[in-house]
Amino acid sequence: MARSTAESKAATAAKATGEAANASGKARQRGVTMTDVAQRAGVSRTTVSFVLSNRENTSISAETRIRIAEAVQELGYRPNAGARALASQRSDWYGIVTEIVTAPFAVDIIKGAQDQAWLDRRFLLIAPSDQADAHGPNQGLEDAAIEKLLEQRVEGLLYAATYHRGVHVPESANEVPTVLINCFDADGKLPSIVPDERTGGRVAVERLLQAGHTRIGVINLDPDIPAAIGRLEGAREALAAAGLELDPELVVSGHATADGGYAAACTILDRYREGQGRPTALFCLNDRMAMGAYDAIKERGLTIPGDIAVIGFDNQELIAAYLRPKLTTVALPFEEMGALGVRTLAALTAGQPIAADQQLVDCPLLERSSV
Amino acid sequence: MARSTAESKAATAAKATGEAANASGKARQRGVTMTDVAQRAGVSRTTVSFVLSNRENTSISAETRIRIAEAVQELGYRPNAGARALASQRSDWYGIVTEIVTAPFAVDIIKGAQDQAWLDRRFLLIAPSDQADAHGPNQGLEDAAIEKLLEQRVEGLLYAATYHRGVHVPESANEVPTVLINCFDADGKLPSIVPDERTGGRVAVERLLQAGHTRIGVINLDPDIPAAIGRLEGAREALAAAGLELDPELVVSGHATADGGYAAACTILDRYREGQGRPTALFCLNDRMAMGAYDAIKERGLTIPGDIAVIGFDNQELIAAYLRPKLTTVALPFEEMGALGVRTLAALTAGQPIAADQQLVDCPLLERSSV
DNA sequence: ACCTCCGACTAACGCGCGTAACCTAAATCA
DNA sequence: TGATTTAGGTTACGCGCGTTAGTCGGAGGT
């Protein structure tokens, strides 16, 4: 194939036309490169590169730009992201490593991050992790996953957990900017983004108070985890603001499942009679427990929200939206956390300062029908 | 810096030692290349490449291999996947485009695919799609996503849907091998992997028959979708094998939600009295509807499975495992479909023939406590 | 008539790596 | 003893692209 750029433009055009049918047919297998485009447009590859990357400070005639655009179109040229990354020394990729792939709970973090990355014209490489999966066949998967991501030359790392907690991030993550989502660095070095549990707890109880409830039962999680601590603290704040206190007798911890919620609700409900100290509302620290509480309440012939109002936490769609009545709950801002994570990473990789070492994201109240 | 490989090995070693402290300290910023490793080990870059890629038909002394391994270790060398892909003309990447990122329903497909890809030493690029998201801000996202994946030079494409249906795949997907998961090509060209709905339906009803139920109510989905057609067909098969028929009066369609299931169950339960034709078991074509059916049953003072046995379909963990009693259901084999998708893609890209144009994957019965 | 400047490009190098082809000294063989 | 093989490498090229440092012809200025 003639490669001389000295070849007359007429000849080039003729050849190009001849190939057009070819190119748009099945003959084009793969590998249309920038050089092909350049040849077809009758310019140098450099010029094509300048045009395609919208380079400034470079004057290229409108006519040439058009010819190049046509050539791109006709040949079906598609840039090679890998080659570009190699030459430009930047990949436009972020990596996210998470056990979310395994546990669908907080898949919205990925969605939020994806969307934001898309807006920023960046690509998200998702890698699996086995943080919580000690018994699986994937021991050490997490380190290997980060390693793989670094081999792809990601410019930054997101590390997400399915539930709010402290984590230890593998050392290799230190080689690029890293942001934790829905968890925080137990070693206190890396920036993180977590839900504002405290405010969420306050909002929930405020909603109950606003509906006229003053005696509120709390179905608590394992009291040691950040979610329980924060949410309970918020609940106390709200009560305090109303001049009330949280009756310790009304706080029952249980296993974070529907069965646990059922048992806890039974304990509370059976301890008192109606009007004799029995709470008129239940704040369940997660939706699964609320699901169990529903059963306990219904079993006793009580109605929701008539006799007992219920408010949950987490907004697990499959539960909250399908319970009957639909559950009013406080949502965890997974999408926002994911998006903020990407934005924070962008700032970090650009060398800009970030707002704070630990950023809190609001947990909004989702009104449905259980209060 | 001396680049002569003729330099005596002693000298090279000395220099290397001098640099070691440097390399293991903070001075290493980024960009340890194979050339660095080669220099440090006192060999040519080619040799390093041969060793690292375990190339056969090449004899390299054990001593040299060790020196190279040490150099890799000491310098913290990490291969550059992009450069490798460029040079070798293969990326080891598959792309998966799916609305699953948006709707967490079938995120297990991703997990299955990820795991299999990991075993095959391949990387999965996950891109969002807006197939079902007509009102979102992401119009045309899907085409753009595929385009992006092709720019990364993925070797194959997986296209996954959240629920079993026919889809139209964007044309650009034809440029690389493509496999559909949990959906099939409405144009009938691309290979696909779908759940075996029919067998699933049969298994469910067989389980009910085995428990002694002969009068079985069916809470149906929209009767036109593949899931409903297949599952119902399977149910009929199972009954036929037992010499029974499906009473059309016992098949009620409803909206695919808990409310829909509640309404449908009410219809069936209120039509008959106990022992007067009222079914003793309900086959709900999805778990959400089973959730609603639970309420209808409990509301009438009936017990599960004592008075009415219930069996679901889909195995939506958050529902099935947390209902009380826990729901016996037929699982959709998302993970297996994802894994099989990757395996099929591997065969395709290797030029091997695939088993069939449409591969069915079994839906296993998950025994819990509602039958 | 000469110099300068500017518009419109192009030549050439390097990113990090895979790989075909080649090279050299020692061991083996006829 | 000379020819040939073999172990153990090395040289050089190219993958597709970004980017710096030019080149070249003509318009404007003096």
Side-chain angles (χ1 to χ4, degrees):
Chain A
M1 180 180 293
R3 291 216 159 227
S4 160
T5 53
E7 164 182 42
S8 90
K9 287 186 182 170
T12 305
K15 178 171 65 88
T17 309
E19 279 171 2
N22 207 351
S24 57
K26 281 295 165 199
R28 154 163 58 88
Q29 279 303 28
R30 59 182 57 202
V32 178
T33 76
M34 224 157 107
T35 304
D36 299 331
V37 173
Q39 238 173 252
R40 170 77 105 116
V43 298
S44 75
R45 199 181 53 69
T46 303
T47 303
V48 176
S49 175
F50 284 172
V51 169
L52 293 188
S53 54
N54 274 323
R55 192 190 165 92
E56 295 174 2
N57 306 326
T58 291
S59 55
I60 292 175
S61 72
E63 191 194 348
T64 301
R65 298 185 118 90
I66 291 175
R67 278 214 320 286
I68 291 176
E70 285 172 355
V72 164
Q73 195 66 34
E74 291 163 7
L75 295 177
Y77 169 73
R78 193 190 333 271
N80 182 320
R84 173 181 304 203
L86 183 58
S88 66
Q89 297 288 71
R90 48 192 310 258
S91 63
D92 283 346
W93 292 340
Y94 293 146
I96 178 167
V97 22
T98 167
E99 80 241 356
I100 292 171
V101 175
T102 308
F105 184 4
V107 73
D108 285 338
I109 291 178
I110 294 184
K111 171 165 168 50
Q114 275 269 21
D115 287 354
Q116 182 69 48
W118 189 264
L119 289 177
D120 297 356
R121 323 224 112 132
R122 291 168 170 286
F123 217 86
L124 207 60
L125 296 185
I126 304 177
S129 135
D130 59 349
Q131 295 163 29
D133 179 21
H135 56 80
N138 297 330
Q139 307 285 354
L141 176 65
E142 185 174 316
D143 284 55
I146 291 183
E147 196 63 23
K148 275 284 178 198
L149 290 177
L150 292 174
E151 286 184 10
Q152 314 294 336
R153 296 302 188 264
V154 295
E155 295 178 4
L157 233 36
L158 256 24
Y159 188 98
T162 49
Y163 69 93
H164 186 175
R165 65 182 196 271
V167 296
H168 291 278
V169 180
E171 248 202 78
S172 44
N174 292 318
E175 302 195 12
V176 293
T178 299
V179 174
L180 307 196
I181 300 181
N182 202 33
C183 54
F184 54 91
D185 185 6
D187 305 327
K189 284 299 176 194
L190 299 168
S192 59
I193 294 170
V194 295
D196 187 347
E197 312 274 10
R198 197 165 52 80
T199 307
R202 191 175 54 206
V203 166
V205 170
E206 277 171 359
R207 176 69 186 83
L208 257 19
L209 290 168
Q210 175 202 329
H213 302 281
T214 53
R215 192 151 169 83
I216 298 172
V218 174
I219 299 188
N220 198 12
L221 295 161
D222 172 347
D224 292 334
I225 65 174
I229 296 171
R231 292 170 196 180
L232 216 57
E233 199 175 311
R236 286 212 179 81
E237 273 182 31
L239 288 168
L244 299 170
E245 276 197 4
L246 187 59
D247 181 348
E249 292 227 328
L250 289 183
V251 180
V252 179
S253 293
H255 204 234
T257 62
D259 281 345
Y262 174 80
C266 289
T267 304
I268 291 183
L269 293 176
D270 293 342
R271 185 138 63 200
Y272 312 91
R273 293 163 182 277
E274 183 178 354
Q276 314 247 49
R278 191 177 72 195
T280 59
L282 248 32
F283 174 26
C284 302
L285 263 63
N286 81 22
D287 287 355
R288 290 204 303 272
M289 298 175 86
M291 187 173 177
Y294 264 49
D295 275 341
I297 294 168
K298 290 179 180 174
E299 222 177 73
R300 280 158 184 72
L302 302 172
T303 63
I304 305 170
D307 297 313
I308 310 263
V310 177
I311 195 162
F313 212 114
D314 285 1
N315 187 37
Q316 286 197 288
E317 288 284 336
L318 286 178
I319 293 177
Y322 292 113
L323 280 175
R324 319 188 51 261
K326 298 186 189 356
L327 180 66
T328 293
T329 189
V330 178
L332 285 171
F334 289 125
E335 285 200 29
E336 289 77 359
M337 289 194 291
L340 182 56
V342 168
R343 272 181 264 131
T344 304
L345 209 47
L348 240 34
T349 54
Q352 296 163 10
I354 58 176
D357 222 48
Q358 166 141 314
Q359 300 180 68
L360 297 179
V361 182
D362 268 358
C363 299
L365 178 71
L366 246 77
E367 295 270 6
R368 282 196 267 254
S369 322
S370 65
V371 173
Chain B
M1 182 179 293
R3 289 212 163 234
S4 160
T5 53
E7 165 181 41
S8 90
K9 289 186 180 167
T12 304
K15 179 171 65 84
T17 307
E19 278 170 3
N22 208 351
S24 57
K26 280 296 163 199
R28 152 164 59 88
Q29 278 303 29
R30 57 184 57 202
V32 178
T33 77
M34 221 155 108
T35 304
D36 298 332
V37 173
Q39 237 172 257
R40 170 77 107 118
V43 297
S44 75
R45 200 180 52 69
T46 303
T47 303
V48 176
S49 176
F50 284 173
V51 169
L52 293 189
S53 56
N54 272 323
R55 192 191 164 91
E56 295 174 1
N57 306 327
T58 289
S59 55
I60 291 173
S61 71
E63 191 195 349
T64 301
R65 299 186 117 92
I66 291 175
R67 278 215 318 285
I68 290 176
E70 287 173 356
V72 165
Q73 195 65 34
E74 292 165 6
L75 296 176
Y77 169 72
R78 193 190 332 270
N80 181 321
R84 173 183 306 206
L86 183 58
S88 66
Q89 297 288 69
R90 48 192 310 259
S91 64
D92 284 346
W93 291 343
Y94 294 146
I96 178 168
V97 22
T98 167
E99 80 242 358
I100 292 172
V101 174
T102 308
F105 184 5
V107 73
D108 284 338
I109 292 178
I110 294 183
K111 172 165 167 49
Q114 274 270 21
D115 288 354
Q116 183 69 49
W118 189 263
L119 289 177
D120 297 356
R121 321 223 112 128
R122 292 166 169 287
F123 217 87
L124 208 58
L125 295 185
I126 304 177
S129 135
D130 59 350
Q131 296 162 29
D133 180 20
H135 55 80
N138 297 330
Q139 307 286 353
L141 177 64
E142 186 174 316
D143 284 55
I146 292 183
E147 196 63 23
K148 273 284 177 199
L149 290 177
L150 291 174
E151 285 183 9
Q152 314 294 334
R153 295 301 188 267
V154 295
E155 294 178 6
L157 232 36
L158 256 23
Y159 188 98
T162 49
Y163 68 95
H164 187 176
R165 66 183 196 270
V167 296
H168 290 278
V169 180
E171 248 202 79
S172 45
N174 292 318
E175 302 195 14
V176 294
T178 299
V179 175
L180 308 196
I181 301 181
N182 201 34
C183 53
F184 53 91
D185 185 6
D187 305 326
K189 284 297 176 196
L190 298 167
S192 59
I193 293 168
V194 295
D196 188 347
E197 311 274 10
R198 197 163 53 78
T199 308
R202 191 174 55 208
V203 166
V205 171
E206 277 171 359
R207 177 67 186 85
L208 257 20
L209 290 168
Q210 175 203 326
H213 302 282
T214 54
R215 192 151 170 82
I216 297 172
V218 174
I219 298 188
N220 199 12
L221 296 163
D222 172 347
D224 293 333
I225 66 174
I229 297 171
R231 292 171 196 180
L232 215 58
E233 199 175 310
R236 286 212 179 81
E237 273 182 33
L239 288 169
L244 300 171
E245 275 195 3
L246 188 58
D247 182 346
E249 293 227 330
L250 288 183
V251 180
V252 180
S253 292
H255 203 234
T257 62
D259 282 344
Y262 174 80
C266 289
T267 305
I268 292 182
L269 293 176
D270 293 342
R271 185 137 67 200
Y272 313 92
R273 292 165 183 276
E274 184 178 355
Q276 313 246 45
R278 191 176 74 194
T280 60
L282 248 33
F283 174 26
C284 303
L285 262 65
N286 81 23
D287 287 356
R288 290 204 302 271
M289 298 175 85
M291 188 172 177
Y294 264 50
D295 277 340
I297 294 168
K298 290 179 179 173
E299 223 177 72
R300 281 158 184 72
L302 302 172
T303 62
I304 305 170
D307 297 312
I308 311 264
V310 177
I311 195 162
F313 210 113
D314 285 1
N315 188 36
Q316 286 196 289
E317 287 283 336
L318 286 178
I319 294 177
Y322 291 114
L323 281 176
R324 317 187 56 257
K326 298 187 191 353
L327 179 66
T328 293
T329 189
V330 178
L332 285 172
F334 290 125
E335 284 199 29
E336 289 76 1
M337 291 195 291
L340 182 56
V342 168
R343 272 181 264 131
T344 304
L345 210 47
L348 241 35
T349 53
Q352 295 164 14
I354 58 175
D357 221 49
Q358 165 140 313
Q359 299 180 72
L360 297 179
V361 182
D362 268 358
C363 299
L365 178 71
L366 247 77
E367 295 271 6
R368 282 197 266 254
S369 322
S370 65
V371 173

